[in-house]
Amino acid sequence: DGGITQSPKYLFRKEGQNVTLSCEQNLNHDAMYWYRQDPGQGLRLIYYSQIVNDFQKGDIAEGYSVSREKKESFPLTVTSAQKNPTAFYLCASSKTAGAAYNEQFFGPGTRLTVL
Amino acid sequence: AQKVTQAQTEISVVEKEDVTLDCVYETRDTTYYLFWYKQPPSGELVFLIRRNSFDEQNEISGRYSWNFQKSTSSFNFTITASQVVDSAVYFCALPTGNQFYFGTGTSLTVIP
């Protein structure tokens, strides 16, 4: 079945450590996105990528980094510079970026807790 | 600037009641799309509907219906005869450029 997988579902990290969240899609979509969800704040865009080897900052990119070496994969690294990383992280993809009619498909999310 | 407002933070209804979730948006675009997503307790957002600004006809899909009014910049979502499985967080979204702008969501609880 086509879809988006994110791993792990739950992740615990000690303060000061970097951690990488995985996102893989087999939908053959060009565009991929990372969102952060906090209670009462909806979804906020961290980074997005329109094509392989290209990515752009979203509204809250500070303290995060990404790579897009393969079309199927868009991993997100939460660095120690991110001051409040505890949140629910959602990965999404769409056929293309910049076309407002394309819905985004979402993965099941990773809940990151910093201890 | 693009903005989506979902003023209702939490709603509780008793099973079989009808419920309407409000969405108000702001945009400078002359043509645009609006979306509704459902986020069940499992966490994954599920696409419900897409509507373009040219089409103001109401849309009905089973127990779900959507009322789009450009004059009031609203795109409201009604669930008829609610069921426990409708319990979720519902998001309204407005895409522009390469980005989706999401509202803060409405948490719906359907009490059996």
Side-chain angles (χ1 to χ4, degrees):
Chain A
D1 286 356
I4 300 176
T5 56
Q6 290 185 245
S7 61
K9 189 167 180 63
Y10 297 97
L11 188 57
F12 297 89
R13 181 195 106 177
K14 290 184 179 179
E15 213 168 317
Q17 289 181 337
N18 292 356
V19 63
T20 297
L21 282 59
S22 168
C23 177
E24 304 278 331
Q25 55 100 357
N26 61 3
L27 300 167
N28 199 32
H29 285 172
D30 287 328
M32 296 187 74
Y33 310 81
W34 273 105
Y35 291 92
R36 169 179 171 142
Q37 185 177 15
D38 295 282
Q41 294 196 42
L43 278 68
R44 293 183 290 168
L45 183 66
I46 305 173
Y47 268 97
Y48 67 93
S49 168
Q50 298 183 70
I51 55 172
V52 174
N53 293 322
D54 175 77
F55 47 83
Q56 306 294 330
K57 291 181 179 180
D59 296 328
I60 56 165
E62 186 175 350
Y64 300 97
S65 66
V66 293
S67 62
R68 186 88 185 275
E69 296 177 1
K70 298 187 300 183
K71 188 175 185 177
E72 312 81 55
S73 178
F74 190 41
L76 172 75
T77 296
V78 185
T79 75
S80 55
Q82 170 47 237
K83 298 197 183 310
N84 186 19
T86 295
F88 187 54
Y89 291 87
L90 284 158
C91 179
S93 71
S94 63
K95 282 186 181 177
T96 59
Y101 52 80
N102 282 334
E103 70 263 36
Q104 294 190 0
F105 295 79
F106 285 81
T110 293
R111 189 167 298 279
L112 173 65
T113 302
V114 174
L115 304 173
Chain B
Q2 311 292 105
K3 186 178 179 182
V4 176
T5 301
Q6 294 180 258
Q8 303 154 306
T9 305
E10 295 180 0
I11 299 176
S12 291
V13 298
V14 177
E15 201 171 20
K16 298 184 183 177
E17 287 184 347
D18 299 347
V19 59
T20 295
L21 310 181
D22 298 333
C23 172
V24 175
Y25 63 92
E26 295 177 28
T27 180
R28 292 181 180 170
D29 296 339
T30 52
T31 59
Y32 50 90
Y33 285 80
L34 291 159
F35 290 74
W36 274 96
Y37 283 86
K38 174 182 180 180
Q39 185 179 38
S42 60
E44 182 175 338
L45 268 74
V46 177
F47 165 74
L48 293 177
I49 190 171
R50 167 184 48 231
R51 172 53 53 89
N52 73 57
S53 55
F54 286 108
D55 185 1
E56 290 195 64
Q57 286 189 355
N58 289 344
E59 175 111 5
I60 298 174
S61 176
R63 296 183 298 106
Y64 295 172
S65 63
W66 290 268
N67 181 283
F68 176 38
Q69 293 194 346
K70 283 180 78 170
S71 60
T72 56
S73 296
S74 66
F75 186 40
N76 297 337
F77 173 31
T78 297
I79 301 174
T80 303
S82 59
Q83 301 176 0
V84 173
V85 293
D86 296 327
S87 295
V89 181
Y90 292 86
F91 291 95
C92 182
L94 171 67
T96 183
N98 296 313
Q99 187 166 341
F100 267 58
Y101 288 88
F102 286 86
T104 51
T106 297
S107 177
L108 174 64
T109 301
V110 180
I111 303 166

